[in-house]
Every structure is written in structure tokens, then in C-alpha cells.
Amino acid sequence: MTDQRAPALRRAATVAFVLYLVVLAGAAFLPLPSMQLERGTGPSYDLALRRPDLLGGWEVQRNVLMTIPFGILLPLVVRWRYEALVLACFGVTLLIETVQLLVSAAVGWSWRAFDVNDLLLNTIGGLLGLAFTATVLAVVRRPSLPSARRLLPGGLAAALVAWAVVATVTTPPEREVVYACDELPAGSITELPGGASAYAGRDGSVCLLADGGTASLPFDAGPGPALTYERPDGTWEVGTAQPGDVLTAGAGGPVVELHEVDGSGVLVWAARR
């Protein structure tokens, strides 16, 4: 690449990078808390690492695709060492997840959950973009083989991406969709505060019951409310969580007690809003 073309490429990449960051911020932080109607029970986070399935659905693919441009454009904008570029791919998604958690804590309800799986998938996307740019630049410039020290971060990044690909290929087929509320309980019924209850379906899914309303949730249901109902003592919510999740009742409120359901790995809760 000639010296005359390099500055022009860098300017174009900088403009594209700024526009991308605006789009990324919109995807990560919109709608704002004041623009949503459904409110949960406070900030929450999901620390249960699950197998990445890159072909499993739009939500997974979106988390990977949204950071690929970051990895592609960043090396064209800044002249950082490769180790710093790898850390930046991780750092930008860590920043997004942390801001979402802090805003949820500030507004007092689960606007966004800190999800370690989103953190992993976003990082994989950034590393894929970084690998693409590194490959193109290597072909154009034909550099000499870098030292082993410089190959280490790339090797770690490649191992992470390879693990995600292998996990995707070996992901078991989807289970049959079961609506637990249409079936008899597969185990004992769990009584919850606020007059709510829950029981498991035959595949580990969960049926929530509260004040005449029902909600069927799958065996891998994430944290969040599923039903809202009124009682003489106030408004109540009942929902689900996974092992490792922590939910609080409002900003600075007490931690919501999670209950096991016989026949399911999903945890359930009920709390007054």
C-alpha cells in the first residue's frame, strides 16, 4: 500500500468507525429505560456460561455480528499493538454490559441484564473482524513471520473462535416445544410468595400461575418477570431465573429469593414491585 493511499484509507476508516460506534450505541442502549413500559425487579446479571450456538437464533448471531465491524475498523484507525487490539475487542463489550448493569441499578429495575454469554459472543465477533483485517493486511503487505510473543494473543483468539464453532457444530438438536401449563405437573407444585405457584413440565419447562393468569416458559428461560398481577398489598410480579442469577427488588432493594421447581433446572420467584 503506497504512502499516498494510507492516509486516505485511515480517514475513511475513521469516519466509518465513528458512524459504527453511533449505531452500536443505539443497538446496545435503546430503547432507553424511560421509553419502556414493562419493569422488572431491579438489576440482574447472568453468570451461567452456556454453549454458544452460532446457528441457534438471531439473538446469538446478532451478538456476534454487532462487533465484527469493530474488529475490522479498529486496526485501520489506531496504530496499537496486536495485544491491545485483542483486549479492546473484549473491553468494548465489557463496557457495554457494565453500563447496562449500572443503568439498571440506577433506575431500579432490570432494564438490561449483565450476561456473560453476550460478553463472550461480542468478543468473538470483534476477534473475527480483527482476524479479517489482519489477514487482508498480511496479504497486501506480505510481512515477515511475527515473533512467538505476538502470535500468542492471536492464538488465544483463534482458540476462542474455534471453541465457539465446535460448540455450534456439536450442539444437540432443539427440543420439542412443550407448554407446561397445558400439561399435568411433572413434580410437586412450588408455592411462591404473593399467592403464586409454579410447576415443571415433562421437559423441564415451567408453568407459572398467579391470580388466575398463567405463563409457560422453556427449560432455559432467562431472568425476568413473566406475570404481573394486583393484590390488596400492591403490585406483584412472578418470573424465572437461572442458577447464578441475582435479582433485587427495586433500586437498592433486598435480593429476591429464588425457588427451585421439582423437575426443572429453572428457578422461580415472586416479589412485590
Side-chain angles (χ1 to χ4, degrees):
M1 185 177 298
T2 64
D3 293 339
Q4 291 78 13
R5 293 172 58 187
L9 175 61
R10 190 174 185 182
R11 286 193 297 269
T14 300
V15 172
F17 190 63
V18 171
L19 294 176
Y20 161 74
L21 290 180
V22 173
V23 175
L24 178 64
F29 302 123
L30 293 179
L32 296 174
S34 60
M35 299 166 62
Q36 288 186 333
L37 298 177
E38 291 295 328
R39 299 195 173 192
T41 58
S44 63
Y45 50 88
D46 183 1
L47 302 181
L49 185 62
R50 293 183 286 275
R51 292 164 58 98
D53 182 5
L54 302 182
L55 302 177
W58 170 242
E59 184 63 26
V60 173
Q61 296 163 5
R62 171 181 174 272
N63 279 320
V64 175
L65 292 174
M66 69 185 295
T67 50
I68 287 180
F70 183 88
I72 291 176
L73 295 172
L74 186 63
L76 303 177
V77 175
V78 298
R79 300 184 182 277
W80 293 351
R81 297 173 61 176
Y82 188 71
E83 294 91 333
L85 294 173
V86 172
L87 289 176
C89 291
F90 171 76
V92 68
T93 184
L94 179 62
L95 176 63
I96 290 173
E97 294 294 320
T98 301
V99 170
Q100 290 176 343
L101 180 65
L102 293 177
V103 172
S104 294
V107 300
W109 51 279
S110 187
W111 169 60
R112 294 285 194 276
F114 183 100
D115 192 335
V116 69
N117 298 281
D118 291 349
L119 184 65
L120 173 65
L121 294 170
N122 290 158
T123 301
I124 289 174
L127 295 178
L128 287 174
L130 188 61
F132 174 81
T133 298
T135 301
V136 172
L137 293 179
V139 172
V140 173
R141 297 173 178 174
R142 295 183 176 85
S144 59
L145 185 65
S147 64
R149 180 183 61 82
R150 294 193 61 192
L151 288 175
L152 180 59
L156 294 176
L160 180 61
V161 174
W163 171 71
V165 172
V166 171
T168 297
V169 174
T170 59
T171 296
E174 294 185 2
R175 298 189 184 186
E176 175 190 0
V177 177
V178 174
Y179 296 96
C181 293
D182 295 336
E183 299 186 332
L184 295 175
S188 60
I189 296 178
T190 300
E191 299 295 336
L192 300 172
S197 60
Y199 66 81
R202 55 186 166 86
D203 69 336
S205 57
V206 168
C207 176
L208 300 176
L209 305 95
D211 194 35
T214 62
S216 294
L217 294 113
F219 66 94
D220 58 350
L227 291 173
T228 301
Y229 58 101
E230 298 292 335
R231 286 174 55 89
D233 57 349
T235 301
W236 283 73
E237 291 178 325
V238 58
T240 58
Q242 289 287 333
D245 293 342
V246 177
L247 304 176
T248 59
V255 175
V256 174
E257 182 180 2
L258 303 179
H259 302 263
E260 295 182 350
V261 179
D262 185 21
S264 175
V266 179
L267 303 178
V268 295
W269 54 268
R272 188 165 52 189
R273 181 184 292 179

